Amino acid sequence: MKILIADDSRVMRQIVVRTLRQAGFGDHDLIEAADGQEAFDKTTSEQPDLVISDWNMPQMTGIEVLRQLRAAGNSVKFGFVTSECTPEMKTAAEASGSAFFIVKPFTAERFDEVFAPILG
Amino acid sequence: MSVEVEVDENDLAEMVEQVWEAYLDPEGVSPLMQTYDENQPSEVHSSVSITGSWSGHIVYSSSRAAAQRAAAAFLAMELDEVSEEDISDTLGELANIVGGNVKAMLPPGAQLSLPQVVLAPESSARYPNTERISGVYGLWEGEPVSISMWQSSTDTKEEGA
């Protein structure tokens, strides 16, 4: 599977990659995006099977990326890894078709719990 | 109308503990030891601003050595491999994580900014018209680290109005 990791923080992208490996999902094809626009563009051009996105990013926020993808007819499996988790954000994410919501700081156990059903 | 902030030292301490457990001290061998000294020195700091239902800043500050150690832990690198950019990114992410968690405890309608990183002491920064309302101050392997919350005084005024 191809997985796109979108986060404007380079260290957080590395932590997500490392945690995916620790949780046993390191053999997937991992690609990265450094802001919302890049996340949208790469999702369109590279057609990943899964997008793991930050919420608060320059250019476009994660939820804007998800909404624009859905508006464009793209149904990629998409979810959030974010330090912000308010009830209204979770509701907005679910309403837009988000598949998961992981709160930073996260652990490999949490990744396993969320991604095992998706990545097998 | 402004609201009473219900994020206190204990909440901040709990967030700090989670960050240490997840990224900075996964083995549980070097926790942040609280000193309760709000005047401890810093050499670098980062912050995020929150506006809306509550307005203010969350500031992470530490010595350079502690920031370097944090970057090494974040990136699973040796201390001497850590670059200036690694330190800067790590500090920004630390402010972002704590700020995001604080925001989650505030009433709906708060907005979180992108993090700002300044490789200079916290005392060099001025957060105009703000007041420090809580903080966690400690030593991490002997190096000072603090996380504090600064509330905008416009909020305070409104509360008194």
Side-chain angles (χ1 to χ4, degrees):
Chain A
M1 270 197 187
K2 191 186 270 189
I3 305 171
L4 175 70
I5 298 152
D7 198 308
D8 56 313
S9 161
R10 187 177 52 98
V11 294
M12 190 43 70
R13 292 198 302 275
Q14 294 199 29
I15 289 176
V16 170
V17 167
R18 189 167 80 227
T19 310
L20 279 170
R21 289 200 187 110
Q22 285 168 349
F25 307 117
D27 52 353
H28 294 279
D29 182 11
L30 307 178
I31 54 174
E32 299 181 20
D35 63 43
Q37 185 65 53
E38 198 181 334
F40 178 82
D41 293 344
K42 281 198 173 171
T43 305
T44 309
S45 62
E46 305 253 352
Q47 302 187 338
D49 302 285
L50 171 66
V51 179
I52 301 173
S53 178
D54 186 18
W55 189 285
N56 203 13
M57 292 185 287
Q59 312 295 338
M60 264 199 269
T61 62
I63 189 78
E64 285 166 354
V65 175
L66 174 57
R67 284 175 181 153
Q68 291 206 17
L69 285 169
R70 293 296 186 253
N74 189 316
S75 59
V76 64
K77 207 169 271 291
F78 191 111
F80 295 96
V81 172
T82 172
S83 64
E84 306 173 66
C85 72
T86 57
E88 67 262 36
M89 284 168 70
K90 283 187 181 166
T91 308
E94 279 166 22
S96 301
S98 167
F100 55 87
F101 206 97
I102 296 173
V103 181
K104 299 174 194 172
F106 49 76
T107 59
E109 289 73 31
R110 176 69 180 136
F111 266 37
D112 182 48
E113 181 186 306
V114 171
F115 295 125
I118 297 173
L119 300 171
Chain B
M1 200 186 82
S2 188
V3 290
E4 190 75 23
V5 184
E6 291 180 2
V7 184
D8 62 17
E9 275 89 349
N10 292 336
D11 298 315
L12 286 180
E14 200 174 309
M15 289 171 207
V16 165
E17 207 170 297
Q18 286 173 7
V19 171
W20 254 252
E21 212 178 284
Y23 305 132
L24 298 182
D25 179 37
E27 310 292 325
V29 291
S30 52
L32 184 70
M33 308 299 288
Q34 286 203 59
T35 57
Y36 304 97
D37 173 13
E38 62 178 45
N39 296 314
Q40 67 185 17
S42 70
E43 292 171 322
V44 292
H45 71 280
S46 55
S47 62
V48 289
S49 302
I50 295 177
T51 48
S53 60
W54 180 82
S55 293
H57 312 273
I58 311 301
V59 182
Y60 181 98
S61 73
S62 75
S63 67
R64 219 191 136 72
Q68 190 178 12
R69 187 171 298 137
F74 258 50
L75 295 162
M77 279 179 172
E78 295 301 322
L79 274 177
D80 57 8
E81 292 173 338
V82 168
S83 71
E84 200 79 356
E85 194 189 358
D86 296 334
I87 290 177
S88 189
D89 284 1
T90 300
L91 284 168
E93 194 51 38
L94 283 164
N96 179 48
I97 294 173
V98 179
N101 279 274
V102 167
K103 186 199 148 189
M105 299 181 72
L106 298 171
Q111 300 289 323
L112 187 70
S113 76
L114 294 171
Q116 302 287 322
V117 177
V118 185
L119 298 180
E122 183 182 343
S123 57
S124 70
R126 289 281 175 271
Y127 299 100
N129 306 315
T130 60
E131 180 191 358
R132 182 160 53 188
I133 55 164
S134 64
V136 171
Y137 314 93
L139 293 175
W140 182 33
E141 296 186 0
E143 295 291 333
V145 173
S146 75
I147 294 95
S148 54
M149 274 182 84
W150 297 71
Q151 179 166 0
S152 294
S153 56
T154 44
D155 269 19
T156 318
K157 276 179 202 155
E158 279 172 24
E159 268 168 30

